[in-house]
Amino acid sequence: MTRPDPVLAIHGGAGTIRRQSMTPEAEARYHAGLRDALSAGYAVLARGGPALDAVVEAVKSLEDNSLFNAGRGAVFNADGTQEMDAALMDGRDRRAGAVAGICGPRHPILAARAVMERSEHVLLCGDGARRFCAEAGLEHRDPAWFRTEQRWQALQEELERRRAGAADDGDEARKHGTVGAVALDGDGHLAAATSTGGMTAKAAGRVGDSPVFGAGTWADDRTCAVSATGHGELFIRHAVAHEIDARMRWGGQPLATAAESIIAEIAPLGGSGGLIAVDARGNVALPFNSSGMYRGVASGAGVLTGIYGDPLVGR
Ligand code: ASP
C-alpha cells in the first residue's frame, strides 16, 4: 500500500479582526503566527512522526502566541478570570482526553494529553483538573502570564455593552477565538486538537464545544479529524464534528460536502464560526460562515495561510 502524503491544517479561530480595522502590520503578524504553528506541526509529519504529535506541536505554538485565544492571550470570563478548555483525539482508536475550566498549565493541550494518556478518564474539569495537572508535573504559569491588555479591554467593552443594554455589534474579534489542528500522517492516521479560552464574558464555569468530543473536536481514521471554532453552544447542540463523521460514514458524503453543509446549516441558527477538517485521503476542508477564520495548511506542496474569504496565500 502506498503511504499517504501527510497534511496538517490549523485554525486560529473564527474571531477575526474586522477587515476594515486590520492593518498590514497586524495581518502580517497573524500570518507569521500561523506559519510558525504550521512549521512546528509539519516538522513532525515530515520526519515520519504521528499525527497526534503534529497536532499537539501546532497547538502548543498557537497557545504561546498571545494573538490567539488559547493559553497565553486567552479571553476573560464575566468574573474577570481566564478559564481554558482543551481536547485531543486520536483517530486510530478514538482515544481522547480533555480539560475544561482550567488556568495554570502553560499548554492546556498537554493537560488534555495527560488526561488521555495518564488517567482512566476522558474529560476533567475545575479543581480536580487543576490538581491532576499539578500532579502530572505539567509546566505551570501564573495568571499574569496569560493576561493581555487587549483581552482585558475586550471584556470591559463587552460588559459595558451589556450594562448599557446595547445591541450586539457583531464584532467577532471581541467575542470569539480558539486554536486547533488536524493532521493525517504518513501511516494514514488522523488526529485532532483544540484549545481555547472560550468566549469573552462567558459565565464562570461555562464550558464550550472545544473539549466536548463530537462537538468541537473529533478524530476517527475511518472518516475525518475535525477542530471547530465559533459559538460553542450551537456546535454542541448540533454535534457538529460528529455530524461530519456521520454524514461521511453513513451518508457516503465527501469531506467537503459534509463539512460545508453543517457549517451552512448552523449559520441561520446563530452558530457563527467554522472548522478545519482532513480525511484519510488527505482532503482538507476549511469552511466558515463568519467574516473570516485564521487558518492554514501545510503539506508537501508548501505552506498556505489565510484570514478572510480570499484564497490562501503562500509566502
Ligand atoms: N468555540 C469556542 C467556545 O465556544 C469559542 C470560539 O471558537 O470562538 O468556547
Side-chain angles (χ1 to χ4, degrees), residues 246-261:
R247 289 177 191 199
M248 292 176 73
R249 200 148 43 95
W250 304 115
Q253 291 188 6
L255 178 79
T257 310
E260 283 161 19
S261 58

Side-chain angles (χ1 to χ4, degrees), residues 85 176-178 196 198-199 206 208-210 228-233:
D85 306 333
H176 284 306
T178 283
T196 189
M199 291 171 69
R206 177 263 190 190
D209 59 313
S210 308
T229 169
H231 196 145
E233 280 70 9

Side-chain angles (χ1 to χ4, degrees), residues 1 34 70 87:
M1 215 184 93
L34 292 167

Side-chain angles (χ1 to χ4, degrees), residues 199-222:
M199 291 171 69
T200 300
K202 65 185 180 180
R206 177 263 190 190
V207 176
D209 59 313
S210 308
V212 177
F213 293 101
T217 306
W218 186 255
D220 186 322
D221 278 3
R222 293 172 297 173

